[in-house]
Amino acid sequence: MRLLSLDAAGTLTIIEQDSSRGRSGLVKDSANAARPRADSANAAVTAQPIMRTPENGGYLKIAYGAAAVIYISYLLLLRRRWTAVRARQEKNTLRSRR
Amino acid sequence: MTSASSSQAADATDNTASEIAPGPDWFLIAALVAVAAAVTRVLLFTPIELRQGLAQKIFYIHVPAAIVGMYFSVIPMAIVSGIYLWLKDERLDRIAESLAEVGLIFMSVVLITGPFWGKPIWGTFWQWDARLTSTLFLWFVLVGYLVLRGAIEQAEARARLSAIVGILGGLLVPFIHLTVYMFTTLHPMPIVLTPEGPKQNLSPEMTSTFLSSLAAFMLLMLALTRNRFRWATLRDAQQHIEDDR
């Protein structure tokens, strides 16, 4: 079961809870939220703070990579169009000289 | 048309072409260099935000793309479309066509980068809230605009009908801007486009990085639109010659 917790400082925390163990293990302290509460009676409860996760860098890479793909694809499309329009222009010029 | 006059017209196109495409597009190259410099600054010389970590750096590409796409591409496209309906100058139609296409590219970047920022911060890639849904709707309107242009062969009718769609697309932008005030949305309220400006909500380093990124994306938008407009001019000149034959 997943629960959301929002503390007074505005930090949102996702709490993974083993539903068979009840609600007693809810983690309210976001500073401790990143690690499993091994000291708790409810050892299966783990919490993941949404913010400050090191893998956030992965999302950065994907977002920048996707944006680069979009811009570069458009540049290639423009280049292809110019090549086509120049070929057409050459054809027109040759035709008019004949 | 006689063969002599068609030959003159073809020569004229040849001259137009050499004027339009004299060699490398230095403006576009300069814009790409500016974007590369801005991205380097974002990734290597800007502090990491305390709460969001590295994912916050998506801000420097997502927000400039949204500002440039909506306020500097789609709104001008709608204005130029309106002026076209008044003056019926085909250059205005070509400008609107170029702005719509480039606007679509920037809006695509907004819609792709947004979810990859949203996932680590909101916990979800997408939410059907007012801001996200209306932005997606604008994207579809821009796609529809370009599909409409491809579907009508008669130039005057194409320009007139697409100008109307362009104006309707532009009308969405103020609504999209206001969605975060009018509805309860997951998307935050503006932190840059506020009366106080970005300095109110960002540190000085982040503000200067953001502004340099915005300037680079503005340059890229202008360079892409110019390139696209020149290509459209050459395409139409050739079309006129082929129609005259």
Side-chain angles (χ1 to χ4, degrees):
Chain A
M1 188 182 174
R2 278 189 149 191
L3 294 166
L4 294 178
S5 158
L6 186 66
D7 68 15
T11 305
L12 189 62
T13 309
I14 289 180
I15 298 156
E16 299 280 358
Q17 190 186 26
D18 182 347
S19 56
S20 65
R21 291 175 187 250
R23 290 173 58 88
S24 60
L26 286 184
V27 179
K28 287 180 183 160
D29 177 6
S30 63
N32 290 326
R35 60 174 188 270
R37 292 287 298 269
D39 55 342
S40 156
N42 190 349
V45 174
T46 57
Q48 291 176 306
I50 296 176
M51 297 163 184
R52 298 188 209 175
T53 50
E55 63 269 27
N56 279 4
Y59 291 107
L60 174 73
K61 283 178 196 161
I62 297 168
Y64 273 70
V69 166
I70 292 171
Y71 287 126
I72 291 167
S73 304
Y74 187 58
L75 287 170
L76 291 174
L77 173 74
L78 285 176
R79 189 164 160 259
R80 211 172 121 194
R81 282 175 174 171
W82 273 109
T83 310
V85 89
R86 279 180 184 139
R88 199 169 144 197
Q89 177 195 344
E90 238 167 66
K91 210 169 136 190
N92 277 338
T93 312
L94 284 173
R95 198 183 286 164
S96 66
R97 280 180 189 155
R98 256 187 239 136
Chain B
M1 183 183 250
T2 62
S3 64
S5 63
S6 105
S7 167
Q8 278 171 0
D11 286 346
T13 314
D14 204 25
N15 291 338
T16 313
S18 54
E19 282 163 21
I20 289 172
D25 186 343
W26 290 110
F27 188 21
L28 184 56
I29 292 168
L32 291 172
V33 170
V35 169
V39 170
T40 307
R41 187 189 163 100
V42 168
L43 297 179
L44 302 179
F45 302 103
T46 305
I48 296 170
E49 208 268 343
L50 177 67
R51 297 170 71 88
Q52 300 185 31
L54 284 169
Q56 184 271 341
K57 292 192 178 208
I58 297 172
F59 164 81
Y60 302 108
I61 195 168
H62 176 79
V63 179
I67 291 174
V68 168
M70 284 200 295
Y71 305 104
F72 292 96
S73 300
V74 176
I75 292 253
M77 183 264 289
I79 293 170
V80 168
S81 296
I83 301 173
Y84 170 80
L85 290 178
W86 176 31
L87 299 178
K88 303 281 181 192
D89 186 327
E90 63 180 31
R91 284 174 299 181
L92 294 169
D93 177 50
R94 283 198 289 272
I95 294 173
E97 170 194 359
S98 308
L99 283 168
E101 192 174 285
V102 173
L104 177 67
I105 296 303
F106 280 93
M107 292 317 293
S108 303
V109 169
V110 173
L111 285 171
I112 294 286
T113 53
F116 284 109
W117 190 10
K119 180 62 179 168
I121 309 306
W122 299 339
T124 179
F125 283 111
W126 187 264
Q127 180 90 24
W128 292 102
D129 78 6
R131 169 57 75 91
L132 277 64
T133 310
S134 55
T135 307
L136 180 65
F137 191 64
L138 174 64
W139 188 85
F140 279 120
V141 169
L142 292 172
V143 170
Y145 176 93
L146 295 174
V147 169
L148 179 75
R149 294 196 70 90
I152 303 174
E153 282 195 14
Q154 212 271 320
E156 200 276 330
R158 178 177 60 220
R160 186 162 36 85
L161 294 174
S162 51
I164 294 163
V165 176
I167 292 167
L168 293 175
L171 290 177
L172 272 175
V173 174
F175 176 72
I176 294 171
H177 182 79
L178 292 174
T179 46
V180 286
Y181 298 107
M182 292 161 64
F183 302 98
T184 306
T185 66
L186 201 53
H187 193 281
M189 288 193 182
I191 61 165
V192 175
L193 295 179
T194 58
E196 303 83 21
K199 284 180 184 167
Q200 179 76 15
N201 299 307
L202 293 172
S203 71
E205 299 97 326
M206 287 176 172
T207 302
S208 55
T209 299
F210 169 75
L211 292 176
S212 55
S213 190
L214 181 62
F217 278 95
M218 273 295 282
L219 265 184
L220 182 65
M221 185 278 285
L222 291 171
L224 287 174
T225 306
R226 178 174 168 269
N227 189 297
R228 177 64 176 72
F229 173 74
R230 284 149 66 98
W231 173 78
T233 305
L234 186 55
R235 176 203 63 193
D236 288 354
Q238 288 182 350
Q239 193 60 50
H240 284 315
I241 292 213
E242 285 167 21
D243 289 347
D244 285 345
R245 280 209 177 104

